[in-house]
Amino acid sequence: MKAVQPRVVVRAGYYQDLQILGEYLLKELVGVAVESFFWGAYALLFAYALRSQLGRRARNYLMIGVLCFLFASSTALWAMDFAMTYVRLKIGTTRMGMDMYDRIIEGNKAIEPLGLPMEALFLVNMLVGDSVVIWRAWVLWTGVSLRKRIIAFMAPAVILTISLIFAIIALVCLGESSFSAASSSPLSDSRTCLWAEPISWALSLLTNVVTTALVGVMAWEHRRLLMIAPGQLHSKSKVNKIMVLLVESGFIYCLFWLTQVINFIEMPDGNIYYLYFVLSRMGDQISGLYPTVIIVLVSLQQTVYDQTVGTLKLETMVFEDNNAMAAGDKFTPAFTRISESQDRESDSGSDV
């Protein structure tokens, strides 16, 4: 006797719900995969940066602390993004009695408590990273008189301060309301709350543009002086290449940071939503990775000087008081104020 197969009754819209769920979960998994890749690259760079800082004779514990903080906060962001994806996956695949859109809404409600700490870490990472960028430019301007340096860096310092104020306002507003799952802006009727975080981000972008321009000015001056140097150094030196890399990396970061505007736009359903998941998750890691790259490049620049210049003495690029330089007005970078050690030692027995 032929066995009778049980009849499976599929409710109307079942396959459509499965398609919606599959697309939604795929976007989540793509976002986690992209962020995990960048976190892994960041972990390798962090290990190298920390090793190079700890291996220096004159350790800069402030820089070591900044490195550790940025990596810890980026790791926390990655862990919370992973937890958000897990919660959404669990609710989306286990609440079989709920409509598909209700599952998505339920998942968004479940992750709301993570909204404030994630936004706080993102903004703090952004501000600390901007501070490192300003420090990078300040270090490269060491040879300029203190008065000119203060005038030049007044603009990025003020911009960063205003960005900090708006970041605080954004966090206060976010703590008093909920946030949108399709963007990082708080759901509030107040224009101040609605625009606080976008303004903070825009000012962060402007800070990077201004400081990258300042580094570019110094790189150009350095190249010009190298070309007229009497055979001591040349324009294709390793140091010059690193300085060009600093400018190029700053320019690339500004272009990438511009893409983070997607965090403040209400994204429509469809394939374009992949862009939000990918870029927003990348931003969580790049905001800490780029300042680490800057610290490595500046450290590498110092190392190249120490190893390749030989008898030529150069000033070490660290946080220090430069009041002694305030009297000089000549536009000469620290890395071009070169003196031959034999002559210096024979005259005074001291280094520059």
Side-chain angles (χ1 to χ4, degrees):
M1 184 176 178
K2 187 177 180 179
V4 178
Q5 297 293 332
R7 184 181 180 184
V8 178
V9 180
V10 179
R11 65 176 176 82
Y14 176 77
Y15 293 111
Q16 183 180 5
D17 284 352
L18 283 181
Q19 182 180 1
I20 294 172
L21 178 62
E23 292 177 352
Y24 180 75
L25 297 183
L26 181 59
K27 294 168 187 174
E28 286 279 354
L29 293 175
V30 168
V32 169
V34 169
E35 184 174 8
S36 297
F37 172 80
F38 278 92
W39 180 85
Y42 187 8
L44 293 176
L45 181 65
F46 168 73
Y48 174 80
L50 188 61
R51 181 176 177 272
S52 65
Q53 288 292 325
L54 293 176
R56 297 175 64 87
R57 290 183 178 179
R59 296 176 182 175
N60 191 328
Y61 290 100
L62 177 59
M63 282 295 100
I64 294 175
V66 169
L67 283 171
C68 294
F69 172 81
L70 289 173
F71 182 70
S73 59
S74 294
T75 301
L77 281 170
W78 173 78
M80 285 188 282
D81 279 330
F82 191 88
M84 287 172 59
T85 299
Y86 171 77
V87 170
R88 283 170 165 164
L89 283 171
K90 183 178 180 180
I91 293 177
T93 56
T94 59
R95 305 291 175 85
M96 305 304 295
M98 297 177 62
D99 182 79
M100 199 59 60
Y101 283 106
D102 291 336
R103 298 185 204 179
I104 295 175
I105 294 174
E106 185 71 19
N108 290 337
K109 289 182 179 180
I111 64 173
E112 275 190 10
L114 295 178
L116 181 59
M118 290 186 69
E119 289 301 316
L121 285 175
F122 175 79
L123 290 173
V124 170
N125 253 16
M126 179 186 76
L127 294 170
V128 173
D130 292 347
S131 301
V132 172
V133 170
I134 293 177
W135 162 78
R136 169 199 64 179
W138 178 268
V139 164
L140 295 179
W141 277 62
T142 303
V144 183
S145 66
L146 183 60
R147 179 177 58 85
K148 289 184 177 181
R149 291 170 73 191
I150 292 176
I151 294 174
F153 285 86
M154 187 176 297
V158 171
I159 295 171
L160 180 62
T161 302
I162 299 174
S163 179
L164 171 62
I165 294 173
F166 277 101
I168 295 174
I169 294 174
L171 292 177
V172 172
C173 293
L174 191 62
E176 296 176 350
S177 63
S178 58
F179 75 102
S180 172
S183 73
S184 61
S185 300
L187 297 177
S188 175
D189 295 331
S190 171
R191 288 189 176 182
T192 302
C193 290
L194 186 63
W195 287 98
E197 188 175 358
I199 290 175
S200 180
W201 161 81
L203 292 173
S204 170
L205 176 61
L206 183 58
T207 300
N208 281 274
V209 171
V210 173
T211 51
T212 299
L214 289 173
V215 173
V217 169
M218 190 56 62
W220 176 85
E221 180 68 14
H222 177 242
R223 178 182 176 83
R224 184 183 68 82
L225 291 173
L226 284 178
M227 292 179 68
I228 64 176
Q232 293 178 352
L233 294 172
H234 54 83
S235 60
K236 294 184 178 180
S237 66
K238 291 182 179 180
V239 173
N240 189 65
K241 291 179 180 179
I242 294 173
M243 289 198 64
V244 172
L245 186 58
L246 281 168
V247 178
E248 291 177 346
S249 62
F251 178 71
I252 293 173
Y253 179 73
C254 289
L255 289 180
F256 171 79
W257 204 235
L258 184 61
T259 66
Q260 296 302 294
V261 69
I262 200 171
N263 287 312
F264 313 109
I265 300 175
E266 199 74 23
M267 297 299 295
D269 293 332
N271 291 332
I272 194 174
Y273 208 64
Y274 281 101
L275 198 61
Y276 170 77
F277 276 95
V278 171
L279 292 179
S280 62
R281 300 294 175 85
M282 285 175 58
D284 289 344
Q285 299 304 313
I286 297 296
S287 61
L289 192 152
Y290 174 64
T292 304
V293 171
I294 294 304
I295 293 173
V296 170
L297 287 177
V298 173
S299 177
L300 181 60
Q301 186 179 22
Q302 293 173 330
T303 302
V304 169
Y305 271 122
D306 293 340
Q307 293 179 351
T308 62
V309 175
T311 60
L312 300 177
K313 300 300 181 179
L314 300 157
E315 292 186 4
T316 303
M317 294 181 178
V318 293
F319 287 113
E320 61 182 354
D321 186 5
N322 294 285
N323 291 330
M325 301 178 186
D329 289 329
K330 188 177 180 181
F331 188 82
T332 306
F335 42 77
T336 59
R337 290 204 308 274
I338 303 171
S339 63
E340 296 182 4
S341 61
Q342 294 178 349
D343 295 339
R344 175 69 69 178
E345 289 172 358
S346 62
D347 294 337
S348 60
S350 60
D351 294 332
V352 175

